[in-house]
Amino acid sequence: MSRPLKAGERLAKSDSRRRAGPTPPKRGGKPAPRKRPGLAGVAGGMFVRGLYRLALVGMVGGVLVGGGLFFYFSSGLPGVDRLRHYEPPLETRIYAENFRLIGALGTQHRIYVPYDRIPPLVADAFIAAEDKNFWTEPGIDPLAIVRAGVVDLTRIGSHERPLGASTITMQVVKNMLLDNRIDFTRKIKEAILAVRVNRAMSKKQILTLYLNEIFLGQDSWGVAAAAQAYFDKPLSQLTVAEAAMLGGLPKAPTNYNPFLHPKRARDRRDWVIGQMQADGFITAAQAREALAAPLVPKAAAGPASIPGAGYFVGAVETQLVRMFGRKTAMEGGLIVRTSLDPKLQAAATRAMRDRLVSYDHEFGVYHGPVGHIGAGELAAGWARALARQDTPKGLIASWRLGVVISETAQRARIGWLDGDSPSEAHTGTLTLAAIQWGRPMIHGRPGPLLRNMAQMLKPGDVIMIEPKPDKGGTVSLEQVPKVEGAMLSLDPQTGRVLAMVGGWSNRLSPYNRAIQAHRQPGSSVKPFDYLTAMQAGVQPDATILDAPFIQRLSDGQIYRPGNYENSFQGPVPVFYAIQESLNLATLHLVRRVGLPNVIANFKKFGVVKHAPLIYPAAIGALDTTLWRMVRGYAALDEYGRKVQPSLIDSVTAPDGHILYQAPDQSCANCMDGSAQQPPILNRPGARLANPDSVYQVIMMMRNVAEYGTGVPAVKGLKRPIAGKTGTTNNFNDAWFIGFVPQMVTGCWIGFDKPRDLGVNQTGGNVCGPAWNQYMKVALKNQPVIPFKPPPGITLHKVTFRDETVDEAFKPGQTPGAQSNPGLVADDPLNLGGAFANTTPSTGSHDFSPAPDGQTPSGGAPAPSGNVDKSLGGLY
């Protein structure tokens, strides 16, 4: 039974029926008639339908226009697949034999680090600073784009830089797929590519590319290089504060460089720390600690400073380019281990510089000041004025740039800095006696002694000095010598180059005189003349004639060489002829064994590539390099085995696989765990000559070092040494090349533009002291190893005049048996013949030299007038 409705309820029910519309008809009845809409209703419906159609058309048009624009901007875009296989340009790093970094090659300083070796702390710092939504966004940040667009509209015409809205993915696209232009079109393309990259690659891959590719200032690309550049640390050792500082750099590396703008850098760092805390990457306690930390950047130490190693590094670079091409050599991230011994390199550089300075102080002239400071600046503060002076090229580590503050007749007060700051100022005394070496030369000799300092120096002169704290606070006057020199030292067993000096300073002149300078070797080629004779069966004590040598040249001129002393000694034994470097005796010997055979040996031992078939060439009138000469002597040291000098031990790719291994460095027992045993190195190399013949030459070269022209080179070195001097016409070039069983070292000294080194400046006198100084360091604590004779060789004492020496004789040879020897070939040179027109000895070996200008017994008449020495070596 239904409850009666109240008045309000009926009204509500009735009202609800009206809102519900017409009542549906009863089953089987007729539908109720519908009311026709009025005029206003019709108009309203048409308007709504019009708006709908217009909206539909707009949507279709927008899709078409948007699609067209998308097609327009996306056409021609680079593919993103190249990022998957992207190999960033990595610098090649060059190491000494002890893995000490000595050089780096490349256009960008970058150290590639894979994702799993990037500390999360470092990645979080960059994400907090550059793209907080990196892990969730689709490659672009729409809200940031809208915000940037609104702000940029308000800046139209203001010439302000547009507000950035780039995500990390967009920065990867900009840096690696597009150019660095900033315009509307480029930004649209950047966004399209960022979305594509985000779909094609994982977030880890994108972040790895970004953190290794981004430029962060200080010539550093990528986070690992930046950690070294700003803190001299690996990534794994960075603190929160240091990581935050790096994370703040991408926005403006120069503006936030802590070396240049420490306050800006700290403010930016603190902002990044705040962002890292806000994003939950670090705790509040970590943030407080990081904010309190001082910002103290520390520049990377860089490659090890090894004096003179620049020439070696340059030679390695040349070889790498030849082996792998310039792109791989400069951008391939190669790990190059070389043969350079840092200790020996420093010793060779010091020895050569000391010798060049000594020569310059004996024969040089003061070149003048390298700069000048005016009287006003000098009075206002010489230290500040000196700090503004440019450091001249060629200033070596022990020297300083100094200024003459004041002077009297006998001494000058000199000021210098120990660094770049005026606070590191020092003063000392330069005496008149210490500058006498620089007085002008007169006819090749030092002029009269200076009477007062003013003859050479004036207040305000900027000069090179070397402080002498152990000598009462005095200083010495220095300058970069005009004379140049080169030194090359290698291990003959492996060919590994241990030290290379290419000149005074690589910064001053990159021209490498050890491998690039083509000079005449003079008498330093004579060991190969005498080797040819030994190969022909000549005995070391065989008699040869030191008498005038006359040869008609192809142009009709007469070649009449002479000895260094302008004298002729008549019959002399072979060992004495090379010991005293007798040109005429050598040429007579060459004539007998055949000039073509001698030149063939020059080429076979690599002394020259091409040589003229003329007699002057046999005594050094040809062009070669120190590199070639040392290579030839190394083959002698190895008893005739070919030696190929090597700078590079191995080259390794960034992924660890070996690209190159030096042939002589393959090891038979290096990987079998026998660490207590010395490595067994495989030693390839063609046989160039019979060991018996080479050993005979080695014993004669020992006489050169112990009794002959090489004495200055071996003074105080108490061990067997074989060597030979070389001095060219007019004393233009000075050489000494010598060896012990475990090391070969060559020295050359001369002027780049050939000119006279000075009267009596022979190879032994000029190069000998430098060779000696270096070898004393190189052979310290090294075992004394004798030159062991090959099987069948016997040693016999032979005497000439008052000198008795040990010489080597082959089986079948007897001392004194070749007063008039026949020649028997003992190797593939097919030498033969006999000494025609050779004067027999008396058999007693009691030879007497002929007086100067007289005819030796049985010899050709001495030439009248001056002897022609224009072709060939002197000594």
Side-chain angles (χ1 to χ4, degrees):
M1 186 171 177
S2 61
R3 176 179 61 85
L5 295 174
K6 298 180 180 178
E9 289 179 321
R10 275 197 218 96
L11 181 60
K13 189 173 183 180
S14 171
D15 195 34
S16 67
R17 288 198 187 109
R18 281 198 303 270
R19 288 197 298 268
T23 304
K26 295 180 180 179
R27 187 180 299 273
K30 294 181 179 179
R34 297 182 58 187
K35 288 187 177 181
R36 296 176 61 88
L39 185 60
V42 173
M46 293 178 64
F47 178 73
V48 171
R49 287 193 295 273
L51 286 177
Y52 174 76
R53 292 191 183 105
L54 184 61
L56 183 62
V57 171
M59 290 175 61
V60 173
V63 170
L64 292 175
V65 172
L69 290 174
F70 179 82
F71 178 77
Y72 172 78
F73 286 116
S74 64
S75 62
L77 290 179
V80 300
D81 285 344
R82 56 191 279 194
L83 295 182
R84 295 177 179 175
H85 308 290
Y86 177 70
E87 295 181 358
L90 303 175
E91 67 180 2
T92 289
R93 298 170 76 78
I94 302 174
Y95 297 87
E97 67 167 1
N98 62 353
F99 274 110
R100 182 177 175 184
L101 182 66
I102 59 173
L105 311 176
T107 56
Q108 297 178 355
H109 175 51
R110 177 187 283 105
I111 304 171
Y112 184 82
V113 185
Y115 181 82
D116 57 2
R117 291 178 56 192
I118 299 174
L121 184 68
V122 174
D124 292 343
F126 281 84
I127 291 173
E130 293 293 310
D131 188 3
K132 64 189 305 180
N133 298 318
F134 170 74
W135 294 109
T136 58
E137 70 199 8
I140 59 174
D141 188 339
L143 292 178
I145 292 175
V146 172
R147 181 176 65 252
V150 172
V151 173
D152 291 343
L153 286 175
T154 65
R155 294 179 174 178
I156 294 177
S158 67
H159 303 292
E160 293 185 60
R161 184 182 179 90
L163 182 66
S166 294
T167 62
I168 284 177
T169 309
M170 293 173 72
Q171 291 184 56
V172 169
V173 167
K174 177 184 69 174
N175 293 333
M176 302 171 66
L177 297 179
L178 297 174
D179 53 49
N180 286 318
R181 289 180 302 134
I182 300 177
D183 55 40
F184 180 73
T185 300
R186 215 275 337 262
K187 294 298 289 184
I188 292 178
K189 292 181 177 181
E190 186 180 301
I192 293 171
L193 280 173
V195 173
R196 292 180 179 177
V197 169
N198 193 72
R199 291 174 179 172
M201 301 176 67
S202 70
K203 291 289 187 180
K204 290 181 179 181
Q205 291 174 314
I206 295 170
L207 188 60
T208 302
L209 288 175
Y210 174 75
L211 293 178
N212 281 284
E213 181 66 22
I214 189 71
F215 176 66
L216 297 172
Q218 286 294 106
D219 193 31
S220 58
W221 299 76
V223 291
Q228 284 191 349
Y230 291 104
F231 301 109
D232 198 20
K233 287 183 178 181
L235 280 177
S236 59
Q237 295 181 13
L238 293 182
T239 64
V240 172
E242 291 166 345
M245 198 230 73
L246 297 184
L249 289 172
K251 183 178 181 180
T254 301
N255 289 343
Y256 299 122
N257 185 320
F259 294 108
L260 304 176
H261 308 290
K263 186 179 185 307
R264 291 183 198 170
R266 178 161 187 148
D267 291 344
R268 178 68 174 170
R269 181 205 72 172
D270 292 351
W271 178 84
V272 175
I273 292 172
Q275 294 297 111
M276 293 176 70
Q277 181 187 355
D279 293 340
F281 293 134
I282 59 175
T283 65
Q286 288 177 303
R288 285 193 299 272
E289 182 182 357
L291 290 170
L295 178 53
V296 184
K298 178 185 177 183
S305 178
I306 301 175
Y311 287 108
F312 187 93
V313 172
V316 170
E317 177 183 349
T318 299
Q319 186 170 342
L320 289 172
V321 170
R322 186 167 60 246
M323 293 168 62
F324 302 104
R326 176 158 293 277
K327 182 175 178 60
T328 299
M330 304 300 287
E331 301 180 359
L334 307 178
I335 305 299
V336 183
R337 186 177 183 183
T338 71
S339 56
L340 185 76
D341 184 318
K343 177 184 174 182
L344 297 187
Q345 178 63 42
T349 302
R350 180 62 182 269
M352 181 54 65
R353 286 177 175 171
D354 285 352
R355 186 67 193 104
L356 296 182
V357 167
S358 177
Y359 175 90
D360 188 60
H361 284 195
E362 184 177 358
F363 293 96
V365 176
Y366 177 56
H367 305 156
V370 298
H372 190 79
I373 296 174
E377 286 185 293
L378 198 63
W382 65 263
R384 289 192 298 274
L386 187 61
R388 292 193 293 269
Q389 293 286 318
D390 293 331
T391 301
K393 293 180 179 179
L395 187 76
I396 61 177
S398 61
W399 293 0
R400 298 292 182 270
L401 203 59
V403 59
V404 180
I405 301 173
S406 61
E407 65 179 13
T408 63
Q410 297 296 314
R411 64 189 64 249
R413 183 167 171 250
I414 308 296
W416 73 92
L417 306 176
D418 266 341
D420 298 327
S421 172
S423 64
E424 301 177 276
H426 303 271
T427 60
T429 301
L430 178 63
T431 64
L432 182 64
I435 67 171
Q436 291 290 351
W437 65 263
R439 63 189 187 271
M441 304 286 287
I442 299 177
H443 303 302
R445 301 286 185 181
L449 292 176
L450 302 173
R451 295 187 304 277
N452 60 70
M453 300 293 296
Q455 289 180 264
M456 186 181 296
L457 302 175
K458 294 178 175 57
D461 281 354
V462 178
I463 58 178
M464 296 181 185
I465 63 165
E466 182 169 12
K468 305 288 185 181
D470 58 334
K471 295 184 179 180
T474 60
V475 302
S476 62
L477 176 67
E478 304 294 348
Q479 66 181 6
V480 176
K482 298 294 185 183
V483 68
E484 282 286 4
M487 186 173 284
L488 189 67
S489 185
L490 60 80
D491 177 348
Q493 297 182 5
T494 63
R496 299 173 72 244
V497 174
L498 306 174
M500 174 190 290
V501 178
W504 175 264
S505 167
N506 185 64
R507 288 185 63 238
L508 181 66
S509 168
Y511 180 62
N512 191 335
R513 295 155 188 85
I515 59 178
Q516 292 177 292
H518 289 259
R519 307 294 292 227
Q520 288 196 1
S523 298
S524 61
V525 300
K526 287 179 181 176
F528 303 99
D529 299 339
Y530 287 81
L531 172 63
T532 309
M534 297 301 101
Q535 290 172 305
V538 177
Q539 294 185 178
D541 66 340
T543 304
I544 55 176
L545 190 62
D546 182 45
F549 181 93
I550 301 175
Q551 180 75 28
R552 185 178 299 278
L553 305 179
S554 59
D555 60 1
Q557 298 295 315
I558 300 298
Y559 173 53
R560 295 186 301 176
N563 286 332
Y564 174 78
E565 300 85 354
N566 284 334
S567 64
F568 318 113
Q569 300 194 37
V572 297
V574 167
F575 71 82
Y576 182 81
I578 185 174
Q579 172 184 309
E580 300 302 320
S581 199
L582 302 178
N583 284 343
L584 300 177
T586 301
L587 287 169
H588 279 293
L589 180 65
V590 169
R591 176 181 280 171
R592 300 308 185 265
V593 300
L595 178 62
N597 292 320
V598 170
I599 299 301
N601 259 343
F602 286 0
K603 295 178 181 179
K604 181 179 289 188
F605 278 78
V607 171
V608 293
K609 189 173 183 180
H610 304 288
L613 196 62
I614 57 175
Y615 279 99
I619 53 174
L622 42 78
D623 287 337
T624 187
T625 63
L626 180 62
W627 177 275
R628 285 182 170 275
M629 291 299 297
V630 171
R631 177 174 63 184
Y633 274 60
L636 294 178
D637 199 2
E638 282 289 290
Y639 290 47
R641 182 182 68 86
K642 183 177 181 180
V643 177
Q644 182 58 46
S646 171
L647 304 173
I648 299 174
D649 288 349
S650 65
V651 180
T652 306
D655 63 4
H657 76 274
I658 295 176
L659 299 175
Y660 169 80
Q661 183 81 42
D664 282 356
Q665 296 307 297
S666 57
C667 183
N669 67 333
C670 292
M671 302 302 291
D672 61 3
S674 53
Q676 302 302 317
Q677 299 180 6
I680 302 172
L681 295 175
N682 300 317
R683 294 165 58 185
R687 175 61 57 187
L688 304 178
N690 187 296
D692 293 357
S693 298
V694 176
Y695 183 74
Q696 289 180 308
V697 174
I698 290 175
M699 293 302 294
M700 289 189 285
M701 292 173 71
R702 284 193 58 184
N703 297 337
V704 173
E706 294 178 15
Y707 307 107
T709 60
V711 168
V714 302
K715 186 178 180 180
L717 294 170
K718 299 177 181 180
R719 61 180 66 226
I721 296 173
K724 183 69 185 76
T725 56
T727 310
T728 60
N729 182 60
N730 294 327
F731 303 98
N732 285 347
D733 301 271
W735 300 74
F736 182 77
I737 310 170
F739 54 84
V740 293
Q742 63 266 52
M743 185 177 296
V744 183
T745 300
C747 165
W748 167 86
I749 291 177
F751 291 94
D752 283 341
K753 185 177 181 180
R755 64 182 176 92
D756 188 355
L757 284 167
V759 178
N760 296 326
Q761 295 306 296
T762 63
N765 293 333
V766 178
C767 254
W771 195 93
N772 181 272
Q773 180 178 332
Y774 166 73
M775 291 298 282
K776 281 181 177 175
V777 176
L779 296 177
K780 186 178 181 180
N781 300 324
Q782 291 285 323
V784 176
I785 303 176
F787 294 103
K788 296 181 179 179
I793 289 286
T794 56
L795 295 177
H796 296 275
K797 294 188 179 298
V798 293
T799 301
F800 178 64
R801 297 176 182 162
D802 295 328
E803 183 179 299
T804 300
V805 296
D806 289 323
E807 295 298 340
F809 291 83
K810 298 176 183 177
Q813 292 181 342
T814 303
Q818 286 192 353
S819 58
N820 188 10
L823 304 185
V824 180
D826 72 343
D827 60 28
L829 285 177
N830 294 321
L831 299 169
F835 279 112
N837 302 321
T838 299
T839 302
S841 72
T842 62
S844 65
H845 287 247
D846 182 18
F847 305 115
S848 299
D852 290 359
Q854 295 185 12
T855 305
S857 175
S864 60
N866 293 328
V867 177
D868 179 8
K869 294 182 180 178
S870 61
L871 294 173
L874 289 181
Y875 212 38

